[in-house]
Amino acid sequence: MKVTVKLIGPLIYEGGFSERELELPGPMTAAELSAYVKIDQKRPTIITRNGKAAAPADVVKDGDRVVISHIYSGG
Amino acid sequence: MKGWTGYILRVNLTDKTWKKESFTEEFAQKWVGGRGFAAKILFDELKPGIDPLGPENKLVVALGPIAGIPAPNTGKVVVAAKSPLTGFYGDGNLGSRVSDQLRKAGYDALIVEGKADKPVYLNIEDDKVEFLDAAEMWGKGTYHSNEWIYAKYGKNVGVLNIGQAGENKVLYAVIRSLEGRAGGRPGIGAVMGSKMLKAIVVKGTKQIPQHDADLMRKLGVEGLKKARELDQKSGWSKQSTDAVLGWCNEVNGLPVQNMRHTSHPEAYKLDGEHLNDARIATYGCPSCTMHCGITIHDKEGRESELDYENIGMLGPNINVFDLKQVGSLNYLCDDYGLDTISAGAVLGFYGDAIERGAAKGDFKFGDAEKGKTLLWDIATRKGEAGNLLADGALRAAKVYGNNSADYAMQVKGLEMAAYNCKSIPGQALAFGVAAIGGHHREAWIITFELKHSKRESYGPEKAAKVIELQRIRGGLFEMLVACRFPWVEVGYELENYPKFFNAVTGLDWTLENFWTAADRAYSMIKLHYLREFPEVTRKDDYPPAVWFDKSNADTEGPQKGVVLEYDKYDSLLQHYYDQRGYDKRGIPTMETLKKLGLEAEAAAASKTAKLN
């Protein structure tokens, strides 16, 4: 299953990439995908799937664009 | 009284006099400082209906009880006046050494009255005030003026100054300081210019009175260390505020082409990663733990200091996706003393009005070079377009007609910051009910809407979140006069701020005390509005009509076809009013005003307007 993962802000330096197409080893939730790309799970994040907010337990599907971001507060 | 110096410096430019005035502890505790002081002083001292650019308007520079004391991030100043852009109370904050220098000079606030007969600058040193000739600076940009002052007085003084935009009374001219950028979006720089006041220089040598200076020093040093650690751990400063650009683009919240669109395939060229890659230096305000100003070489090779708001509004909002060109537009705004958010919104509006046939001109979206020319025309009010656009998007729309006000992206006359909220109802409300017009400073709830609510919800939870953040961001931080970033961006605990306050004042306040003070300041600003606009209606708290217009909806992507819905927005607004204790016009009720101890102010407002 292929998904595109986009990291935002400081997560780029934590995950070691900005945007990458990934072949996943199996079905994953949004939270599991975040851990898979080595984002510190203690860090509060917001995950979107295809432009819409995703809950941690939402299952990622083939072809999805998943964006994982630090939680911003609008400056 | 401890914590506050207990004095205000009142300067009159007409007759070149000054006096030191004391204030009571009751006043201090009721209004805290910063925005609270400014809103109360201007309400008491300005008659409704005065010309904001006339000598009867007053400029207030206000500080708070922890301003200028080393702690996270206390090097801020509030500047306020009756706004020439919105027609009622307006304010803003910027970083400046005026924060500690004015307090060390013995004052918690400065009131500037009257008008000089020729360009002057003020030099304040403790109990001495000089009115000096500003001829060498007049007509010059803020970089030149600020450096001229540094060359004369050294870099340890506090400086506030204006550029050509302020001198020419552009209605969104700001006040600048090289010590921390710009503040006073609703034309507070124009008020300074109308008084022929080019700059304020401050040096103080006294001790700021504190109840327990040893405790404050310990808390402040620990706080600075902790806030720095949190920033480094989070990595926030790597991209600063511009990290949010990429996210806004991904979730359809980016201002593109005068907010017609919510994302753009080239927006990534302006994101935090590219800004970080182009970085040549980093700047912050005095006592800053998380420097948010990232400089790059602009198209002409100058050093331009960028953050998200100016990139968002001078970039995608006018379809410029070359970071160096955005840097150039930003540099010019900073030098001329133009507010970057309003400047970007006005250029976007002008491009849109031309495209839609409401205005004539040769500016097109994406034309950065023409944008540069226009910024100079605006700053100097040169030509018909420059002079009109200098009055802001709403006034220009009234001249252009053809329903162009529908896409003048402002609330109450103040252009909105870089978030396109046609499918984000809670943030649209935050703009609608921001105290001084379309500002992002007081409440930003987009991640809350997506993560803890539903994006499409118009429920009471969003009104509650806006109020919660208004109390913190627009209240506590604007009254203490400290930067919100350590708390809002990297999680430095809010509970530290009452500890600082109590250490310097000897009081025993909790956050609840600050919420009451914040509600009081918000109600005070609402009374300013009522007094200036007695025919106020709830429509004044609506965002622009284009956000409700189906024909303006995204035509593809996850928000395809989605815009704000009038009935639902109105119900969300009512949730806000109900939770605030406001009437159906959005004005505090008599009961609310009484609860906040504003009986006298209510009585004053009642002379010219109706309270329920």
Side-chain angles (χ1 to χ4, degrees):
Chain A
M1 184 173 74
K2 277 186 182 170
V3 296
T4 301
V5 177
K6 166 81 177 160
L7 302 178
I8 302 277
L11 301 193
I12 291 171
Y13 313 103
E14 195 168 312
F17 67 93
S18 172
E19 181 171 334
R20 188 173 284 175
E21 190 177 71
L22 296 173
E23 180 77 46
L24 301 184
M28 280 187 192
T29 64
E32 287 165 347
L33 177 59
S34 175
Y36 181 73
V37 295
K38 298 188 170 49
I39 300 305
D40 180 356
Q41 295 305 288
K42 289 183 199 150
R43 178 197 276 272
T45 57
I46 181 164
I47 303 175
T48 57
R49 194 164 68 85
N50 305 321
K52 293 193 173 180
D58 284 359
V59 177
V60 174
K61 293 184 179 156
D62 187 48
D64 277 355
R65 179 176 179 81
V66 178
V67 176
I68 310 173
S69 176
H70 178 78
I71 293 182
Y72 291 100
S73 302
Chain B
M1 180 177 2
K2 292 288 171 64
W4 296 273
T5 66
Y7 292 97
I8 292 170
L9 176 63
R10 185 182 297 273
V11 172
N12 189 302
L13 293 171
T14 306
D15 55 19
K16 295 186 172 47
T17 58
W18 76 93
K19 54 186 171 181
K20 185 174 179 175
E21 297 177 354
S22 63
F23 58 81
T24 66
E25 185 147 10
E26 186 192 354
F27 172 88
Q29 289 195 37
K30 199 163 180 178
W31 301 102
V32 184
R35 163 176 268 184
F37 276 16
K40 171 62 173 165
I41 290 167
L42 291 169
F43 187 82
D44 286 350
E45 299 193 11
L46 298 185
K47 287 183 185 161
I50 62 155
D51 176 3
L53 298 175
E56 56 272 43
N57 199 3
K58 300 187 185 192
L59 168 70
V60 176
V61 178
L63 307 168
I66 63 168
I69 293 173
N73 286 358
T74 53
K76 288 273 189 173
V77 176
V78 164
V79 291
K82 178 175 177 178
S83 162
L85 185 65
T86 65
F88 71 110
Y89 174 86
D91 66 13
N93 77 59
L94 70 158
S96 170
R97 284 194 199 92
V98 166
S99 178
D100 65 296
Q101 294 299 317
L102 191 63
R103 296 254 290 155
K104 285 177 182 168
Y107 311 106
D108 293 309
L110 164 68
I111 302 172
V112 182
E113 304 176 338
K115 180 187 175 185
D117 55 5
K118 62 177 185 177
V120 296
Y121 70 99
L122 287 175
N123 181 42
I124 300 164
E125 287 184 32
D126 291 337
D127 294 324
K128 182 183 83 176
V129 178
E130 295 177 303
F131 301 79
L132 299 169
D133 188 352
E136 284 187 51
M137 290 188 280
W138 199 255
K140 303 280 183 14
T142 64
Y143 286 104
H144 175 277
S145 303
N146 216 137
E147 292 295 348
W148 187 90
I149 290 165
Y150 282 161
K152 194 171 173 73
Y153 295 97
K155 289 195 173 183
N156 289 326
V157 296
V159 179
L160 299 172
N161 70 340
I162 58 168
Q164 298 93 339
E167 294 175 14
N168 292 307
K169 292 171 266 194
V170 175
L171 300 192
Y172 43 96
V174 287
I175 295 175
R176 287 260 297 151
S177 171
L178 285 185
E179 297 137 19
R181 294 195 276 186
R185 291 194 52 217
I188 311 305
V191 174
M192 202 162 150
S194 73
K195 296 182 177 304
M196 305 286 275
L197 179 61
K198 180 68 177 177
I200 299 169
V201 185
V202 189
K203 186 177 180 184
T205 61
K206 301 174 190 173
Q207 293 288 321
I208 298 170
Q210 299 179 52
H211 169 71
D212 190 337
D214 290 339
L215 175 61
M216 184 61 230
R217 193 174 302 112
K218 179 174 174 288
L219 292 173
V221 168
E222 284 173 3
L224 288 164
K225 184 167 175 262
K226 178 74 177 172
R228 278 193 196 101
E229 283 171 4
L230 286 166
D231 175 47
Q232 283 162 7
K233 193 177 166 195
S234 78
W236 182 85
S237 288
K238 282 190 165 59
Q239 300 185 6
S240 174
T241 56
D242 193 37
V244 83
L245 188 145
W247 189 74
C248 284
N249 195 44
E250 293 285 345
V251 301
N252 299 94
L254 195 70
V256 178
Q257 200 171 338
N258 194 36
M259 299 205 186
R260 275 203 216 177
H261 309 295
T262 59
S263 65
H264 193 283
E266 290 188 77
Y268 73 91
K269 294 177 181 173
L270 308 175
D271 69 12
E273 193 179 1
H274 286 78
L275 180 63
N276 186 41
D277 288 346
R279 178 197 308 255
I280 55 172
T282 310
Y283 292 96
C285 303
S287 286
C288 180
T289 58
M290 42 194 296
H291 297 182
C292 65
I294 296 175
T295 63
I296 65 163
H297 287 302
D298 72 7
K299 191 78 175 173
E300 288 74 27
R302 299 164 301 210
E303 189 176 2
S304 177
E305 188 173 342
L306 291 164
D307 67 10
Y308 171 65
E309 298 300 337
N310 46 48
I311 295 175
M313 296 309 289
L314 295 166
N317 196 55
I318 56 170
N319 288 25
V320 172
F321 297 100
D322 177 337
L323 189 59
K324 283 182 175 290
Q325 287 284 33
V326 174
S328 296
L329 293 164
N330 176 71
Y331 178 91
L332 295 175
C333 284
D334 282 351
D335 196 31
Y336 303 157
L338 285 167
D339 174 53
T340 53
I341 294 173
S342 284
V346 165
L347 290 180
F349 167 75
Y350 185 48
D352 214 355
I354 292 169
E355 273 198 8
R356 294 178 194 245
K360 287 180 181 166
D362 57 356
F363 176 64
K364 290 181 179 161
F365 284 110
D367 187 351
E369 292 301 327
K370 182 65 186 173
K372 293 175 196 175
T373 306
L374 274 170
L375 290 177
W376 175 249
D377 292 349
I378 290 168
T380 55
R381 289 187 171 274
K382 183 181 165 193
E384 195 179 331
N387 190 40
L388 182 59
L389 297 175
D391 286 343
L394 184 60
R395 283 178 174 81
K398 284 177 180 166
V399 172
Y400 292 149
N402 292 307
N403 299 319
S404 58
D406 290 355
Y407 52 89
M409 305 310 291
Q410 52 72 44
V411 174
K412 299 182 183 70
L414 180 64
E415 288 78 14
M416 294 186 295
Y419 306 98
N420 193 344
C421 300
K422 60 186 172 187
S423 62
I424 313 174
Q427 188 57 36
L429 174 74
F431 279 131
V433 298
I436 60 165
H439 211 300
H440 66 294
R441 170 180 48 158
E442 301 174 10
W444 191 91
I445 73 163
I446 302 176
T447 47
F448 169 83
E449 293 190 77
L450 269 64
K451 191 174 170 77
H452 301 293
S453 175
K454 286 198 164 104
R455 181 170 183 150
E456 59 274 21
S457 166
Y458 290 75
E461 77 284 357
K462 291 193 178 178
K465 193 66 182 177
V466 168
I467 293 170
E468 177 192 331
L469 290 177
Q470 286 181 332
R471 284 176 174 152
I472 299 170
R473 297 168 57 130
L476 181 144
F477 285 108
E478 294 296 321
M479 297 169 89
L480 285 177
V481 195
C483 177
R484 61 189 176 268
F485 279 11
W487 168 73
V488 78
E489 295 292 4
V490 298
Y492 180 67
E493 295 87 351
L494 209 52
E495 287 70 19
N496 287 301
Y497 293 91
K499 290 180 189 169
F500 300 150
F501 176 82
N502 293 336
V504 296
T505 62
L507 297 170
D508 188 25
W509 278 33
T510 65
L511 287 171
E512 285 300 320
N513 295 93
F514 283 101
W515 306 157
T516 302
D519 289 351
R520 188 178 295 124
Y522 268 78
S523 287
M524 184 78 270
I525 296 172
K526 277 289 176 189
L527 290 183
H528 275 273
Y529 191 76
L530 175 68
R531 210 167 58 162
E532 298 290 351
F533 303 104
E535 304 305 317
V536 51
T537 78
R538 62 198 290 130
K539 295 286 182 192
D540 298 356
D541 289 342
Y542 272 52
V546 75
W547 276 356
F548 297 88
D549 180 356
K550 276 274 180 193
S551 70
N552 182 55
D554 286 359
T555 54
E556 56 185 3
Q559 301 304 320
K560 181 181 174 181
V562 180
V563 288
L564 299 178
E565 297 177 52
Y566 274 113
D567 290 352
K568 290 181 178 177
Y569 180 84
D570 203 68
S571 72
L572 179 57
L573 195 55
Q574 191 58 47
H575 287 311
Y576 176 85
Y577 293 165
D578 290 345
Q579 291 176 34
R580 271 282 188 204
Y582 291 179
D583 66 18
K584 288 185 175 177
R585 304 169 299 168
I587 298 298
T589 62
M590 282 298 289
E591 189 186 347
T592 299
L593 293 167
K594 197 173 170 188
K595 213 181 286 179
L596 294 168
L598 295 176
E599 292 94 335
E601 291 78 4
S606 294
K607 288 178 187 167
T608 53
K610 188 185 163 202
L611 281 165
N612 294 312

